[in-house]
Each structure stands twice: as C-alpha cells, then as structure tokens.
Amino acid sequence: MPPRIDRTPSETLGDGEWRELGLAVGFCELVGVVPGLLTAEDVNEWYPTLEKPPRTPPGWVFPPVWTALFATMGVAWHLIRRERTASPRRKRRAERTFLLQLALNALWSLVFFGRRSILGGLVVVALLGPAIAATIVAFARIDRRAALLLVPYLCWVAFATALNYGLWKRNRDR
C-alpha cells in the first residue's frame, strides 16, 4: 500500500473547485469551438484551395492539438483564479491579459477563415504571440505552474505564425 500523503486544503480540489475547473476548461474549449463552427464551410471549401508551405501538417492534426491547448489554457486560468495569496490587482491584470489573448485567438479564425483574409490572419496572429507571452509573464507572477502550462501554446502559435506567413507568401494574389 502506498504511503498516505496529507495535503493541505489549497492542494486538493473539492467538488466546487472541480466544477470551477470544468467551467474554466469548458469556456476555453468553447472559445475554440464557436469560431470553428462559424467558419466550417470556409475551412472545408476555401482552405484546401490554398497553396500550402512545405511544413504544413495534415488537417487532422489541428483539432486534437487545439483541443489539448484550450484544455491547458483552462487549467492555467483555473490555477490563477483559485490562487488566494496573490493581490487582487495582479490577478485582475493577469485575467484581463488572458482574456485578451483568448479573444485574439478566436478572432484569428474569424478573420483568416471567415473573412478569407490570409493577411488579416497574419496581423491577428502577430498580435496573439506577444499577448500569450504577456499572459505567461502575468501568470508567472501568480503561479508558475499556470505560466508553464501556456508554453506549449506559445510554441504552437509561433509555428502557426510561420505557417500563416508561408500561406500569405504563396497566396498573395488571392
């Protein structure tokens, strides 16, 4: 039998905190799903007609990657929301920064796919990367784990920025 590990109340999740975690993750996933539903026709009809850069992953890669990234965003946000020792001002700033980057994330899909604007998408994703970096910094001041959970997201968005740029270079005349 493994040894019993006693945890302090701040290290365990009660029913209410599980619900809050679920809501945070669910909200982030919804931010990813709604623009996807609104632009599904464009994804299926317009995007396949574009000339892709050589490192473009197959289409089936994007949904599971984004699902995992939105889930980790939700967990990170939950860690910030449940932190009780940080100053309210610091938490508000961190949450505003987080929500800004989340809005930019949703906006990218609406601009790139919905408006069929590769250049517009490039502008939005160029703003998204620094917004994620600012969120990581703000989260690190409150909970380092929350900040670390966003690092894969920043890396993926850096890759997505390069892909968006490659798409723009190859399809400027569209």
Side-chain angles (χ1 to χ4, degrees):
M1 181 174 283
R4 183 168 185 266
I5 299 173
D6 290 323
R7 294 190 173 128
T8 65
S10 66
E11 295 174 323
T12 60
L13 291 176
D15 289 343
E17 287 197 69
W18 279 110
R19 184 179 62 252
E20 288 178 25
L21 173 61
L23 289 171
V25 170
F27 178 78
C28 290
E29 293 289 353
L30 197 59
V31 168
V33 167
V34 170
L37 292 174
L38 294 173
T39 62
E41 186 175 311
D42 304 297
V43 172
N44 294 327
E45 293 177 10
W46 172 72
Y47 182 72
T49 68
L50 299 176
E51 183 183 339
K52 313 291 187 304
R55 296 177 314 265
T56 303
W60 62 264
V61 169
F62 294 96
V65 167
W66 278 113
T67 299
L69 292 173
F70 280 114
T72 58
M73 281 185 246
V75 172
W77 187 31
H78 174 72
L79 289 171
I80 296 305
R81 292 174 55 104
R82 77 184 283 235
E83 176 57 49
R84 303 293 180 238
T85 60
S87 77
R89 182 178 176 192
R90 184 171 278 182
K91 282 179 65 173
R92 276 192 308 274
R93 189 177 314 136
E95 286 197 72
R96 277 191 228 122
T97 307
F98 175 79
L99 293 172
L100 170 66
Q101 68 77 28
L102 205 55
L104 285 169
N105 187 305
L107 181 63
W108 181 86
S109 293
L110 298 172
V111 170
F112 183 89
F113 291 116
R115 305 274 307 173
R116 296 183 179 192
S117 176
I118 301 169
L119 180 58
L122 185 57
V123 169
V124 173
V125 80
L127 296 170
L128 178 58
I132 297 167
T135 303
I136 290 171
V137 169
F139 277 20
R141 291 180 178 143
I142 298 168
D143 187 323
R144 186 173 175 195
R145 298 168 304 167
L148 291 173
L149 282 168
L150 297 180
V151 171
Y153 174 40
L154 180 61
C155 293
W156 181 257
V157 167
F159 176 64
T161 303
L163 286 178
N164 198 150
Y165 177 74
L167 285 163
W168 175 72
K169 276 185 65 175
R170 285 169 176 72
N171 298 278
R172 279 187 250 197
D173 299 332
R174 294 178 152 237

